[in-house]
Coordinates of all heavy atoms in Angstrom, one line a residue:
M1 N 6.8 -31.0 62.8 CA 7.7 -32.1 62.4 C 9.1 -31.5 62.1 O 9.1 -30.4 61.5 CB 7.2 -32.8 61.2 CG 8.1 -33.9 60.8 SD 7.4 -35.2 59.8 CE 7.0 -34.4 58.3
R2 N 10.1 -32.1 62.5 CA 11.5 -31.6 62.2 C 12.2 -32.6 61.3 O 12.1 -33.8 61.5 CB 12.2 -31.5 63.6 CG 13.6 -31.2 63.4 CD 14.3 -31.0 64.7 NE 14.2 -29.5 64.9 CZ 14.6 -28.9 66.0 NH1 14.9 -29.6 67.0 NH2 14.5 -27.6 66.1
G3 N 12.8 -32.1 60.3 CA 13.6 -32.9 59.4 C 15.1 -32.8 59.7 O 15.6 -31.8 60.2
L4 N 15.8 -33.9 59.5 CA 17.2 -33.9 59.8 C 18.0 -34.3 58.5 O 17.4 -35.0 57.7 CB 17.5 -34.9 60.9 CG 16.9 -34.7 62.2 CD1 17.1 -35.8 63.2 CD2 17.4 -33.4 62.8
R5 N 19.2 -33.9 58.5 CA 20.1 -34.3 57.4 C 20.3 -35.8 57.5 O 20.5 -36.3 58.6 CB 21.4 -33.5 57.4 CG 21.2 -32.1 57.2 CD 22.6 -31.5 57.3 NE 22.5 -30.0 57.2 CZ 23.0 -29.3 56.3 NH1 23.7 -29.9 55.3 NH2 22.9 -28.0 56.3
P6 N 20.5 -36.5 56.3 CA 20.8 -37.9 56.4 C 22.0 -38.3 57.1 O 22.1 -39.2 57.8 CB 20.9 -38.3 54.9 CG 20.2 -37.3 54.1 CD 20.3 -36.0 55.0
D7 N 23.1 -37.4 57.0 CA 24.3 -37.6 57.7 C 24.5 -36.5 58.6 O 24.9 -35.4 58.2 CB 25.5 -37.7 56.7 CG 26.8 -37.9 57.3 OD1 26.9 -38.1 58.6 OD2 27.9 -37.9 56.6
P8 N 24.3 -36.6 59.9 CA 24.4 -35.5 60.8 C 25.8 -34.9 60.9 O 26.0 -33.8 61.4 CB 24.0 -36.1 62.2 CG 24.1 -37.6 62.0 CD 24.0 -37.9 60.6
H9 N 26.8 -35.6 60.5 CA 28.2 -35.1 60.6 C 28.6 -34.3 59.4 O 29.6 -33.7 59.4 CB 29.2 -36.3 60.8 CG 28.9 -37.0 62.1 ND1 29.1 -36.5 63.3 CD2 28.3 -38.2 62.3 CE1 28.7 -37.3 64.3 NE2 28.2 -38.4 63.7
A10 N 27.8 -34.4 58.3 CA 28.1 -33.7 57.1 C 28.2 -32.1 57.3 O 28.9 -31.4 56.7 CB 27.2 -34.0 56.0
C11 N 27.3 -31.7 58.2 CA 27.3 -30.2 58.5 C 28.6 -29.7 59.1 O 28.8 -28.5 59.1 CB 26.1 -29.8 59.3 SG 26.1 -30.5 61.0
H12 N 29.4 -30.5 59.6 CA 30.7 -30.1 60.3 C 31.8 -29.8 59.3 O 32.8 -29.3 59.6 CB 31.1 -31.1 61.3 CG 30.2 -31.3 62.4 ND1 29.9 -30.3 63.3 CD2 29.4 -32.4 62.8 CE1 29.0 -30.8 64.2 NE2 28.7 -32.0 63.9
T13 N 31.5 -30.2 58.0 CA 32.6 -30.0 57.0 C 32.4 -28.7 56.3 O 33.2 -28.3 55.4 CB 32.5 -31.1 55.9 OG1 31.3 -31.1 55.3 CG2 32.7 -32.5 56.6
V14 N 31.4 -27.9 56.6 CA 31.1 -26.6 56.0 C 31.5 -25.5 56.9 O 31.1 -25.6 58.1 CB 29.6 -26.5 55.6 CG1 29.3 -25.1 55.0 CG2 29.2 -27.6 54.7
P15 N 32.2 -24.5 56.5 CA 32.6 -23.4 57.4 C 31.3 -22.7 57.9 O 30.3 -22.7 57.3 CB 33.3 -22.4 56.5 CG 33.7 -23.2 55.3 CD 32.7 -24.3 55.2
A16 N 31.4 -22.2 59.1 CA 30.3 -21.5 59.7 C 29.8 -20.3 58.8 O 30.6 -19.6 58.2 CB 30.7 -20.9 61.1
H17 N 28.5 -20.1 58.7 CA 28.0 -19.0 57.9 C 26.6 -18.7 58.5 O 26.0 -19.5 59.1 CB 27.9 -19.4 56.4 CG 27.0 -20.6 56.2 ND1 27.4 -21.9 56.4 CD2 25.7 -20.7 55.8 CE1 26.4 -22.7 56.1 NE2 25.3 -22.0 55.7
L18 N 26.2 -17.5 58.2 CA 24.9 -16.9 58.7 C 23.8 -17.5 57.8 O 23.9 -17.5 56.6 CB 24.9 -15.4 58.7 CG 23.7 -14.7 59.2 CD1 23.5 -15.0 60.7 CD2 23.8 -13.2 59.0
E19 N 22.7 -18.0 58.5 CA 21.6 -18.4 57.8 C 20.4 -17.6 58.2 O 20.3 -17.2 59.4 CB 21.3 -19.9 58.0 CG 22.4 -20.8 57.4 CD 22.0 -22.3 57.6 OE1 20.9 -22.6 58.0 OE2 22.9 -23.1 57.3
H20 N 19.4 -17.5 57.3 CA 18.2 -16.8 57.7 C 17.4 -17.7 58.7 O 17.4 -18.9 58.6 CB 17.3 -16.5 56.4 CG 18.0 -15.6 55.5 ND1 18.0 -14.2 55.7 CD2 18.6 -15.8 54.3 CE1 18.6 -13.6 54.8 NE2 19.0 -14.6 53.9
P21 N 16.6 -17.1 59.6 CA 15.8 -17.9 60.5 C 14.7 -18.6 59.6 O 14.3 -18.2 58.6 CB 15.1 -16.8 61.4 CG 15.3 -15.5 60.7 CD 16.5 -15.6 59.8
P22 N 14.3 -19.7 60.1 CA 13.3 -20.5 59.4 C 12.0 -19.8 59.3 O 11.6 -19.0 60.2 CB 13.2 -21.8 60.2 CG 13.6 -21.4 61.5 CD 14.6 -20.4 61.4
A23 N 11.2 -20.0 58.3 CA 9.9 -19.4 58.1 C 8.9 -20.5 58.0 O 9.2 -21.6 57.5 CB 9.8 -18.6 56.8
P24 N 7.7 -20.3 58.6 CA 6.7 -21.4 58.7 C 6.2 -21.7 57.3 O 6.1 -20.8 56.4 CB 5.6 -20.9 59.6 CG 5.8 -19.4 59.5 CD 7.2 -19.1 59.3
V25 N 5.9 -23.0 57.0 CA 5.3 -23.4 55.8 C 3.9 -23.8 55.9 O 3.0 -23.4 55.2 CB 6.1 -24.6 55.2 CG1 5.5 -25.1 53.9 CG2 7.6 -24.2 54.9
S26 N 3.6 -24.6 57.0 CA 2.2 -25.0 57.2 C 2.0 -25.5 58.6 O 2.9 -25.6 59.4 CB 1.8 -26.1 56.2 OG 2.6 -27.3 56.4
F27 N 0.7 -25.7 58.9 CA 0.3 -26.2 60.2 C -0.9 -27.1 60.0 O -1.8 -26.7 59.3 CB 0.0 -25.1 61.2 CG -0.6 -25.5 62.5 CD1 0.2 -26.0 63.5 CD2 -1.9 -25.3 62.7 CE1 -0.3 -26.4 64.7 CE2 -2.5 -25.7 63.9 CZ -1.7 -26.3 64.9
T28 N -0.9 -28.2 60.7 CA -2.1 -29.1 60.6 C -2.7 -29.2 62.0 O -2.1 -29.6 62.9 CB -1.7 -30.5 60.1 OG1 -1.1 -30.3 58.8 CG2 -3.0 -31.4 59.9
L29 N -4.0 -28.9 62.1 CA -4.8 -29.0 63.3 C -5.5 -30.4 63.3 O -6.2 -30.7 62.3 CB -5.8 -27.9 63.4 CG -6.6 -27.7 64.7 CD1 -5.6 -27.3 65.8 CD2 -7.6 -26.7 64.5
G30 N -5.2 -31.2 64.2 CA -5.8 -32.6 64.2 C -7.3 -32.6 64.4 O -7.9 -31.6 64.9
A31 N -7.9 -33.7 64.1 CA -9.4 -33.8 64.1 C -9.9 -33.5 65.5 O -11.0 -32.9 65.6 CB -9.8 -35.2 63.6
A32 N -9.3 -34.0 66.6 CA -9.8 -33.8 67.9 C -9.8 -32.3 68.3 O -10.7 -31.8 68.9 CB -9.0 -34.6 68.9
D33 N -8.7 -31.6 67.8 CA -8.6 -30.1 68.1 C -9.6 -29.4 67.2 O -10.1 -28.3 67.7 CB -7.2 -29.6 67.9 CG -6.3 -30.1 69.0 OD1 -6.7 -30.1 70.2 OD2 -5.2 -30.6 68.7
V34 N -9.9 -29.8 66.0 CA -10.9 -29.2 65.2 C -12.2 -29.3 65.9 O -13.0 -28.3 65.9 CB -10.9 -29.8 63.7 CG1 -12.1 -29.3 63.0 CG2 -9.6 -29.5 63.0
R35 N -12.5 -30.4 66.4 CA -13.8 -30.6 67.1 C -13.9 -29.7 68.4 O -14.9 -29.1 68.6 CB -14.0 -32.0 67.6 CG -14.6 -33.0 66.6 CD -15.0 -34.3 67.1 NE -14.0 -35.0 67.9 CZ -13.0 -35.7 67.3 NH1 -13.0 -35.9 66.0 NH2 -12.1 -36.3 68.1
A36 N -12.8 -29.6 69.1 CA -12.7 -28.8 70.3 C -12.9 -27.3 70.0 O -13.6 -26.6 70.7 CB -11.4 -29.0 71.0
V37 N -12.3 -26.8 68.9 CA -12.5 -25.4 68.5 C -13.8 -25.2 67.8 O -14.4 -24.1 67.9 CB -11.3 -25.1 67.5 CG1 -11.5 -23.7 66.8 CG2 -10.0 -25.1 68.2
G38 N -14.3 -26.2 67.1 CA -15.5 -26.0 66.3 C -15.2 -26.0 64.9 O -14.3 -25.2 64.5
V39 N -15.7 -26.9 64.1 CA -15.4 -27.0 62.7 C -15.6 -25.7 61.9 O -14.8 -25.3 61.2 CB -16.2 -28.2 62.0 CG1 -15.9 -28.2 60.5 CG2 -15.9 -29.5 62.7
A40 N -16.7 -25.1 62.1 CA -17.0 -23.8 61.4 C -16.0 -22.7 61.7 O -15.5 -22.0 60.8 CB -18.4 -23.3 61.8
H41 N -15.6 -22.6 63.0 CA -14.7 -21.6 63.4 C -13.3 -21.9 62.8 O -12.6 -21.0 62.3 CB -14.6 -21.5 64.9 CG -13.7 -20.4 65.4 ND1 -14.2 -19.1 65.5 CD2 -12.5 -20.4 65.9 CE1 -13.2 -18.4 66.0 NE2 -12.2 -19.1 66.3
A42 N -12.9 -23.2 62.9 CA -11.6 -23.6 62.4 C -11.4 -23.5 60.9 O -10.4 -23.2 60.4 CB -11.3 -25.0 62.8
R43 N -12.6 -23.6 60.2 CA -12.5 -23.5 58.7 C -12.5 -22.1 58.2 O -12.2 -21.9 57.0 CB -13.8 -24.2 58.1 CG -13.8 -25.7 58.1 CD -15.0 -26.2 57.3 NE -15.1 -27.6 57.4 CZ -14.6 -28.5 56.6 NH1 -13.9 -28.0 55.5 NH2 -14.8 -29.8 56.7
H44 N -12.7 -21.1 59.1 CA -12.7 -19.7 58.6 C -11.7 -18.8 59.4 O -12.1 -17.9 60.1 CB -14.1 -19.1 58.7 CG -15.1 -19.8 57.8 ND1 -15.8 -20.9 58.2 CD2 -15.4 -19.6 56.5 CE1 -16.6 -21.3 57.2 NE2 -16.3 -20.6 56.2
P45 N -10.4 -19.1 59.2 CA -9.4 -18.3 59.9 C -9.2 -17.0 59.2 O -9.6 -16.8 58.0 CB -8.1 -19.2 59.7 CG -8.3 -19.8 58.4 CD -9.8 -20.1 58.3
P46 N -8.6 -16.0 59.9 CA -8.3 -14.7 59.3 C -7.1 -14.7 58.5 O -6.1 -14.0 58.7 CB -8.2 -13.8 60.5 CG -7.6 -14.7 61.6 CD -8.3 -16.0 61.3
L47 N -7.0 -15.6 57.5 CA -5.9 -15.8 56.6 C -6.3 -15.7 55.2 O -7.5 -15.8 54.8 CB -5.3 -17.2 56.8 CG -4.8 -17.6 58.2 CD1 -4.4 -19.0 58.3 CD2 -3.6 -16.7 58.7
P48 N -5.3 -15.4 54.3 CA -5.7 -15.2 52.9 C -6.2 -16.5 52.2 O -6.9 -16.4 51.2 CB -4.3 -14.8 52.2 CG -3.3 -14.8 53.2 CD -3.9 -15.2 54.5
H49 N -5.9 -17.7 52.8 CA -6.3 -19.0 52.2 C -7.1 -19.8 53.2 O -6.7 -19.8 54.4 CB -5.1 -19.8 51.7 CG -4.2 -19.0 50.7 ND1 -4.6 -18.7 49.5 CD2 -3.0 -18.4 50.9 CE1 -3.7 -18.0 48.9 NE2 -2.7 -17.8 49.7
R50 N -8.1 -20.5 52.7 CA -8.8 -21.4 53.6 C -8.0 -22.7 53.8 O -7.2 -23.1 52.9 CB -10.2 -21.8 53.0 CG -11.1 -20.6 52.8 CD -11.6 -20.1 54.2 NE -12.4 -18.9 54.1 CZ -12.1 -17.8 54.8 NH1 -11.0 -17.7 55.5 NH2 -12.9 -16.8 54.7
P51 N -8.2 -23.4 54.9 CA -7.5 -24.6 55.1 C -8.0 -25.8 54.3 O -9.1 -25.7 53.8 CB -7.7 -24.9 56.6 CG -9.0 -24.2 56.9 CD -9.0 -23.0 56.0
T52 N -7.2 -26.8 54.1 CA -7.5 -28.0 53.3 C -8.0 -29.0 54.3 O -7.2 -29.3 55.3 CB -6.3 -28.5 52.5 OG1 -5.9 -27.5 51.7 CG2 -6.7 -29.7 51.7
A53 N -9.1 -29.6 54.1 CA -9.6 -30.7 55.0 C -8.9 -32.0 54.7 O -8.7 -32.3 53.5 CB -11.1 -30.9 54.8
L54 N -8.5 -32.7 55.7 CA -7.8 -34.0 55.6 C -8.6 -35.0 56.3 O -9.1 -34.8 57.5 CB -6.4 -33.9 56.1 CG -5.5 -32.9 55.6 CD1 -4.2 -32.8 56.4 CD2 -5.2 -33.1 54.1
G55 N -8.8 -36.2 55.8 CA -9.4 -37.3 56.5 C -10.9 -37.3 56.2 O -11.4 -36.6 55.3
P56 N -11.7 -38.0 57.1 CA -13.1 -38.1 56.8 C -13.9 -36.8 57.0 O -13.5 -35.9 57.8 CB -13.6 -39.1 57.9 CG -12.5 -39.0 59.0 CD -11.3 -38.7 58.3
A57 N -14.9 -36.6 56.2 CA -15.7 -35.3 56.2 C -16.3 -35.1 57.6 O -16.5 -34.0 58.0 CB -16.7 -35.3 55.1
A58 N -16.7 -36.2 58.2 CA -17.4 -36.1 59.5 C -16.5 -35.6 60.6 O -16.9 -35.1 61.6 CB -18.0 -37.5 59.8
G59 N -15.2 -35.8 60.5 CA -14.2 -35.4 61.5 C -12.9 -35.1 60.9 O -11.9 -35.8 61.2
P60 N -12.8 -34.0 60.1 CA -11.6 -33.7 59.4 C -10.5 -33.1 60.3 O -10.8 -32.4 61.3 CB -12.0 -32.7 58.4 CG -13.1 -32.0 59.0 CD -13.8 -33.0 59.9
A61 N -9.3 -33.3 59.9 CA -8.2 -32.4 60.4 C -8.1 -31.3 59.4 O -8.6 -31.4 58.2 CB -6.9 -33.3 60.4
L62 N -7.5 -30.2 59.7 CA -7.4 -29.0 58.8 C -5.9 -28.6 58.6 O -5.2 -28.5 59.6 CB -8.2 -27.9 59.3 CG -9.7 -28.1 59.3 CD1 -10.4 -26.9 59.9 CD2 -10.3 -28.4 57.9
H63 N -5.5 -28.5 57.4 CA -4.1 -28.1 57.0 C -4.1 -26.7 56.5 O -4.7 -26.4 55.5 CB -3.6 -29.1 56.0 CG -2.2 -28.9 55.6 ND1 -1.2 -29.3 56.4 CD2 -1.6 -28.3 54.5 CE1 0.0 -29.0 55.8 NE2 -0.3 -28.4 54.7
Y64 N -3.4 -25.9 57.2 CA -3.2 -24.4 56.9 C -1.9 -24.2 56.3 O -0.9 -24.6 56.8 CB -3.3 -23.6 58.2 CG -4.6 -23.8 59.0 CD1 -4.7 -24.8 59.9 CD2 -5.7 -23.0 58.8 CE1 -5.8 -25.0 60.7 CE2 -6.8 -23.1 59.5 CZ -6.9 -24.1 60.5 OH -8.1 -24.3 61.2
R65 N -1.8 -23.6 55.1 CA -0.6 -23.2 54.4 C -0.2 -21.8 54.7 O -1.1 -20.9 54.6 CB -0.7 -23.5 52.9 CG -1.0 -24.9 52.5 CD 0.1 -25.7 51.8 NE 1.0 -24.9 51.0 CZ 2.3 -25.2 51.0 NH1 2.8 -26.2 51.7 NH2 3.1 -24.5 50.3
F66 N 1.0 -21.5 54.9 CA 1.5 -20.2 55.2 C 2.4 -19.6 54.1 O 2.6 -18.5 54.0 CB 2.3 -20.1 56.5 CG 1.4 -20.5 57.7 CD1 1.8 -21.6 58.5 CD2 0.3 -19.8 58.0 CE1 1.1 -21.9 59.6 CE2 -0.5 -20.2 59.1 CZ -0.1 -21.3 59.9
G67 N 3.0 -20.5 53.3 CA 3.9 -20.1 52.3 C 4.9 -21.2 51.9 O 4.7 -22.3 52.2
D68 N 6.0 -20.8 51.3 CA 7.0 -21.7 50.8 C 8.2 -21.8 51.7 O 9.2 -22.4 51.3 CB 7.4 -21.4 49.4 CG 8.0 -20.1 49.2 OD1 8.2 -19.4 50.2 OD2 8.3 -19.7 48.1
G69 N 8.2 -21.2 52.8 CA 9.3 -21.2 53.8 C 10.4 -20.2 53.5 O 11.4 -20.2 54.2
T70 N 10.1 -19.2 52.6 CA 11.1 -18.2 52.3 C 10.7 -16.8 52.9 O 11.5 -15.9 52.9 CB 11.3 -18.1 50.8 OG1 10.1 -17.7 50.2 CG2 11.8 -19.4 50.2
D71 N 9.5 -16.7 53.3 CA 9.0 -15.4 53.7 C 8.8 -15.4 55.2 O 7.8 -16.0 55.7 CB 7.7 -15.0 53.0 CG 7.2 -13.6 53.3 OD1 7.9 -12.9 54.0 OD2 6.1 -13.3 52.8
A72 N 9.6 -14.7 56.0 CA 9.5 -14.6 57.4 C 8.2 -13.9 57.9 O 7.8 -14.1 59.0 CB 10.7 -14.0 58.0
S73 N 7.6 -13.1 57.0 CA 6.4 -12.5 57.4 C 5.2 -13.5 57.6 O 4.2 -13.1 58.2 CB 6.0 -11.4 56.4 OG 5.6 -12.0 55.2
A74 N 5.4 -14.7 57.2 CA 4.4 -15.8 57.5 C 4.2 -16.0 59.0 O 3.2 -16.5 59.4 CB 4.8 -17.1 56.8
W75 N 5.2 -15.6 59.8 CA 5.0 -15.7 61.2 C 3.8 -14.9 61.7 O 3.1 -15.3 62.7 CB 6.3 -15.3 62.0 CG 7.3 -16.3 62.0 CD1 8.5 -16.3 61.3 CD2 7.3 -17.6 62.6 NE1 9.2 -17.4 61.5 CE2 8.5 -18.3 62.3 CE3 6.4 -18.3 63.4 CZ2 8.8 -19.5 62.7 CZ3 6.7 -19.6 63.8 CH2 7.9 -20.2 63.5
A76 N 3.5 -13.8 61.0 CA 2.3 -13.0 61.4 C 1.0 -13.8 61.2 O 0.1 -13.7 61.9 CB 2.3 -11.7 60.6
D77 N 1.0 -14.7 60.1 CA -0.1 -15.5 59.8 C -0.3 -16.6 60.9 O -1.4 -16.9 61.3 CB 0.0 -16.2 58.4 CG -0.2 -15.2 57.3 OD1 -0.9 -14.2 57.5 OD2 0.2 -15.5 56.2
V78 N 0.9 -17.1 61.4 CA 0.8 -18.1 62.4 C 0.2 -17.5 63.7 O -0.6 -18.1 64.4 CB 2.3 -18.7 62.7 CG1 2.3 -19.5 64.0 CG2 2.8 -19.4 61.5
D79 N 0.7 -16.3 64.0 CA 0.1 -15.5 65.2 C -1.4 -15.3 65.0 O -2.1 -15.6 66.0 CB 0.9 -14.2 65.3 CG 0.5 -13.5 66.6 OD1 0.5 -14.1 67.7 OD2 0.1 -12.3 66.5
R80 N -1.8 -14.9 63.9 CA -3.3 -14.6 63.6 C -4.0 -15.9 63.8 O -5.1 -16.0 64.4 CB -3.5 -14.0 62.3 CG -3.3 -12.5 62.2 CD -3.9 -11.9 60.9 NE -3.2 -12.4 59.7 CZ -2.1 -11.9 59.2 NH1 -1.5 -10.9 59.9 NH2 -1.6 -12.4 58.1
L81 N -3.5 -17.0 63.2 CA -4.2 -18.3 63.3 C -4.3 -18.8 64.8 O -5.3 -19.2 65.3 CB -3.5 -19.4 62.5 CG -4.1 -20.8 62.6 CD1 -5.6 -20.8 62.1 CD2 -3.3 -21.8 61.8
T82 N -3.2 -18.7 65.5 CA -3.1 -19.1 66.9 C -4.1 -18.3 67.7 O -4.9 -18.9 68.5 CB -1.7 -18.9 67.5 OG1 -0.8 -19.6 66.7 CG2 -1.6 -19.3 68.9
R83 N -4.2 -17.0 67.5 CA -5.2 -16.2 68.3 C -6.6 -16.5 67.9 O -7.5 -16.6 68.8 CB -4.9 -14.7 68.0 CG -3.7 -14.2 68.6 CD -3.4 -12.7 68.2 NE -2.1 -12.3 68.5 CZ -1.8 -11.7 69.7 NH1 -2.8 -11.4 70.6 NH2 -0.6 -11.3 70.0
H84 N -6.8 -16.8 66.6 CA -8.2 -17.2 66.2 C -8.6 -18.5 66.8 O -9.7 -18.6 67.3 CB -8.2 -17.3 64.6 CG -9.4 -17.8 64.0 ND1 -10.5 -17.0 63.9 CD2 -9.8 -19.0 63.5 CE1 -11.5 -17.7 63.3 NE2 -11.1 -18.9 63.1
L85 N -7.8 -19.5 66.8 CA -8.1 -20.8 67.3 C -8.2 -20.7 68.9 O -9.1 -21.3 69.4 CB -7.1 -21.8 66.9 CG -7.0 -22.1 65.4 CD1 -5.8 -23.0 65.1 CD2 -8.3 -22.6 64.9
S86 N -7.4 -19.9 69.5 CA -7.4 -19.8 71.0 C -8.7 -19.1 71.4 O -9.3 -19.4 72.5 CB -6.2 -19.0 71.5 OG -5.0 -19.8 71.2
A87 N -9.2 -18.1 70.6 CA -10.4 -17.4 71.0 C -11.6 -18.3 71.1 O -12.5 -18.0 71.9 CB -10.6 -16.3 70.0
A88 N -11.6 -19.4 70.3 CA -12.8 -20.3 70.3 C -12.8 -21.1 71.6 O -13.8 -21.6 72.0 CB -12.7 -21.2 69.1
R89 N -11.7 -21.3 72.2 CA -11.6 -22.2 73.4 C -11.9 -21.4 74.7 O -12.0 -22.1 75.8 CB -10.2 -22.8 73.5 CG -9.9 -23.8 72.4 CD -8.5 -24.3 72.6 NE -8.3 -25.2 71.5 CZ -7.9 -26.5 71.7 NH1 -7.8 -27.0 72.9 NH2 -7.7 -27.3 70.6
T90 N -12.0 -20.1 74.7 CA -12.3 -19.4 75.9 C -13.8 -19.1 76.0 O -14.6 -19.2 75.2 CB -11.5 -18.1 75.9 OG1 -11.8 -17.3 74.8 CG2 -10.0 -18.4 76.0

């Protein structure tokens, strides 16, 4: 999901400046993809924290948290999660 400023023209009033690249905060795997990967596999990623189940227990979506958006090293967690989930589909 992408967030936008309420007034898209407001950003033009600030002088150009260097910003840090964005860091991931979270990722939600939908219920259909959890089923495709396998619930047991999707619930046990190689990450420091387990995902939070969303929706019905019989067919949950899983929400994975990576951090607060300030640590660019969270991209390594995204990579580990992507590889983990992809491995179940092959």
Side-chain angles (χ1 to χ4, degrees):
M1 178 159 70
R2 172 175 264 173
L4 300 174
R5 293 178 187 244
D7 179 7
H9 300 289
C11 63
H12 297 294
T13 63
V14 178
H17 61 281
L18 183 63
E19 292 186 7
H20 295 285
V25 175
S26 65
F27 172 76
T28 302
L29 188 65
D33 289 317
V34 170
R35 275 192 307 278
V37 168
V39 177
H41 187 78
R43 284 187 187 267
H44 296 93
L47 301 173
H49 306 288
R50 295 288 177 240
T52 302
L54 305 173
L62 295 176
H63 184 74
Y64 302 86
R65 297 250 332 141
F66 301 121
D68 61 4
T70 61
D71 186 4
S73 69
W75 284 111
D77 288 339
V78 172
D79 186 53
R80 277 194 297 277
L81 177 61
T82 302
R83 290 174 190 269
H84 175 76
L85 296 173
S86 296
R89 292 181 182 238
T90 57

